[in-house]
């Protein structure tokens, strides 16, 4: 029987961890454009916590004595809570259907973002837009980068935005 190489396993797990972090970073703009995203994240973290505790409970003999396995248990709980919103967002978005929803337009403002600041004499280019709209009972701020979608719209006018109705109740605005 062939023995496992612990260095190869550690290297593969490290690569998988960094891939998950990369995917999470790619999901941030989508989560920020999710109506009810805060509740989706909190609910996903609670589900991740419960699933990790169930996993630890059903494998309790593997984690005996607990004093020697505290770092392992902590790592499992923290990682499951940290990555659960990524899975929750994927599931919410992938199984939903797209519809147009009506909002009252408030404003669309361009913004400039740079990771290194502004260099003296540099000509600033718009890097994205903030769209502020009012839904049924509250205001929503969306962010997108490609173009201004409502340059001629006046405040108070009704606009239609493409939303993907998620299966967990969180709707994702699809403008990019």
């Amino acid at each position: 029987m062939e023995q496992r190489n612990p260095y190869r396993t550690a290297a593969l797990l490290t690569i998988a961890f960094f891939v998950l972090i990369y995917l999470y970073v790619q999901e941030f703009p989508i989560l920020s454009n999710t109506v009810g995203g805060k509740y989706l994240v909190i609910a996903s973290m609670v589900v991740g916590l419960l699933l990790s505790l169930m996993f630890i409970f059903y494998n309790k003999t593997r984690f005996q004595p607990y004093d020697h396995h505290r770092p392992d248990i902590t790592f499992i709980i923290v990682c499951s809570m940290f990555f659960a919103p990524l899975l929750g967002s994927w599931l919410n978005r992938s199984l939903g259907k797209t519809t147009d929803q009506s909002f009252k337009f408030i404003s669309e403002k361009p913004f400039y973002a740079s990771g290194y600041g502004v260099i003296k004499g540099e000509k600033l280019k718009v890097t994205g837009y903030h769209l502020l709209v009012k839904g049924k009972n509250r205001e929503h701020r969306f962010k997108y980068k490609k173009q201004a979608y409502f340059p001629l719209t006046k405040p108070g006018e009704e606009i239609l935005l493409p939303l993907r109705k998620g299966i967990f109740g969180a709707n994702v605005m699809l403008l990019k």
Side-chain angles (χ1 to χ4, degrees), residues 9-172:
T9 304
L12 290 174
L13 287 173
T14 303
I15 290 169
F17 186 73
F18 282 110
V19 167
L20 278 173
I21 290 174
Y22 171 77
L23 292 172
Y24 212 141
V25 169
Q26 298 302 313
E27 195 72 15
F28 282 156
I30 295 167
L31 278 170
S32 69
N33 281 344
T34 301
V35 177
K38 179 170 57 170
Y39 302 111
L40 177 67
V41 168
I42 291 170
S44 297
M45 290 179 80
V46 169
V47 169
L49 173 66
L50 293 175
L51 289 175
S52 65
L53 291 175
M54 285 174 36
F55 173 78
I56 291 166
F57 178 76
Y58 287 117
N59 294 299
K60 61 185 167 192
T61 56
R62 194 249 179 262
F63 296 108
Q64 293 291 332
Y66 287 122
D67 291 345
H68 292 114
H69 292 283
R70 274 195 197 128
D72 302 335
I73 292 170
T74 304
F75 181 76
I76 290 169
I77 291 172
V78 169
C79 280
S80 65
M81 287 180 63
F82 181 74
F83 289 111
L86 175 63
L87 182 61
S89 178
W90 283 349
L91 286 173
N92 180 61
R93 194 172 72 248
S94 65
L95 299 174
K97 52 184 173 174
T98 304
T99 60
D100 288 335
Q101 188 171 341
S102 177
F103 291 94
K104 272 194 178 181
F105 178 81
I106 297 175
S107 69
E108 180 181 53
K109 295 180 182 173
F111 69 87
Y112 170 79
S114 171
Y116 307 105
V118 179
I119 299 172
K120 188 175 183 178
E122 178 184 9
K123 205 169 189 178
L124 300 180
K125 286 194 253 176
V126 172
T127 55
Y129 298 89
H130 287 289
L131 176 65
L132 189 60
V133 294
K134 185 168 183 163
K136 294 175 184 162
N137 52 3
R138 58 179 287 209
E139 290 183 357
H140 303 285
R141 178 183 296 262
F142 299 116
K143 184 175 168 181
Y144 44 86
K145 295 188 175 193
K146 288 206 175 182
Q147 67 184 43
Y149 287 98
F150 306 101
L152 303 176
T153 308
K154 295 183 179 19
E157 289 184 27
E158 293 285 324
I159 60 172
L160 290 175
L161 292 177
L163 289 177
R164 177 158 290 213
K165 290 188 175 267
I167 62 167
F168 299 132
N171 299 329
V172 181

